[in-house]
Structure formats: C-alpha cells, structure tokens
Amino acid sequence: MKTRDTIFPAGRHELYAAHKYSAAIRSVDLLFVSGQVGSRTDGAPEPEFEAQVRLAFENLKATLEAGGCGLGDIVDVTTFHTDPEKQFATVLAVKDEIFPAAPYPNWTAVGVNWLAGFDFEIKVIARIPG
C-alpha cells in the first residue's frame, strides 16, 4: 500500500526541480508542506518584503489546495526569518489577515541567516479533510 504521494501546485515546478524537492508530501491524512517562499513564477524572489511574505502565503495556499486542503486545515506552522527583529511586525500583520480568529495553528518562528536569496519562508503540516 502506498502511504505517501508527492503534491505540486500548478506552475513553479522548475523551482522544485532545480532544488530537488517536493512541494508537499501527503501521508495518510496529513499534508507535509515544504518551505514556501515569496517566489515569482520565474523562481526569483519578490523584492519588497511585505509583498514577499504575501506571495509566500499565496504559494502556500496553492500547495495546500493541490493537496486537498485549505488554510483552515493547518495544524502546525514554522516560519523562518532573516531579520526577525525588523521583520516580525510585518509578518504578524500578514499572519493576522491569514488566521484572523481562533483556533490558531501552532506556530514556531526561527531566525536564520540564509534562505537562498529570500527573507521569509513558511512550512506547515495540515490535516487533510474527509
């Protein structure tokens, strides 16, 4: 019995192929989504920080939808920040738009010094409905 399937959203396949990873893995009733960044369709980073964060969430949403989930199915979030002290207020403002009411998913924020040219990354685990 196959217990995991790879999931890819429409577009952005070259980014995954270039770095040799799957956008998400479905295992039984869980979807494990790889770190999503604010990459444009050509794989380049969105230069303005808030726009990059918003695009990362849009890319996350597309990956969740490809796996049969939505933002409300997320149970665990990990975000990565290249300059948390300067970026956190912007990230929180966008996050509050995405998750406006309880129950909120678990959330861990990690400061890092490199994200392959990006300044924000988000990875999640979601429960697949049904």
Side-chain angles (χ1 to χ4, degrees):
M1 180 169 113
K2 190 173 183 181
T3 59
R4 67 179 197 169
D5 299 302
T6 57
I7 304 296
F8 292 95
R12 300 179 73 235
H13 291 279
E14 292 180 22
L15 181 67
Y16 302 117
H19 298 283
K20 299 180 181 171
Y21 69 101
S22 298
I25 298 288
R26 178 178 30 227
S27 180
V28 190
D29 65 342
L30 295 176
L31 188 67
F32 297 86
V33 180
S34 292
Q36 299 294 302
V37 293
S39 61
R40 297 174 172 174
T41 55
D42 66 357
E46 179 64 45
E48 194 272 318
F49 182 70
E50 183 176 342
Q52 189 180 125
V53 172
R54 290 184 183 283
L55 186 54
F57 273 101
E58 287 302 313
N59 292 336
L60 171 63
K61 185 177 174 185
T63 302
L64 288 167
E65 289 173 356
C69 297
L71 294 167
D73 299 308
I74 294 172
V75 294
D76 188 69
V77 175
T78 304
T79 54
F80 303 90
H81 313 260
T82 57
D83 191 347
E85 190 172 354
K86 289 182 182 176
Q87 299 166 341
F88 217 65
T90 300
V91 171
L92 282 178
V94 174
K95 181 180 161 285
D96 287 348
E97 292 175 21
I98 302 297
F99 304 110
Y104 304 108
N106 295 343
W107 181 35
T108 302
V110 180
V112 298
N113 61 11
W114 185 78
L115 289 172
F118 295 89
D119 293 306
F120 175 80
E121 183 173 323
I122 180 169
K123 70 180 298 274
V124 305
I125 300 170
R127 182 160 307 280
I128 301 167

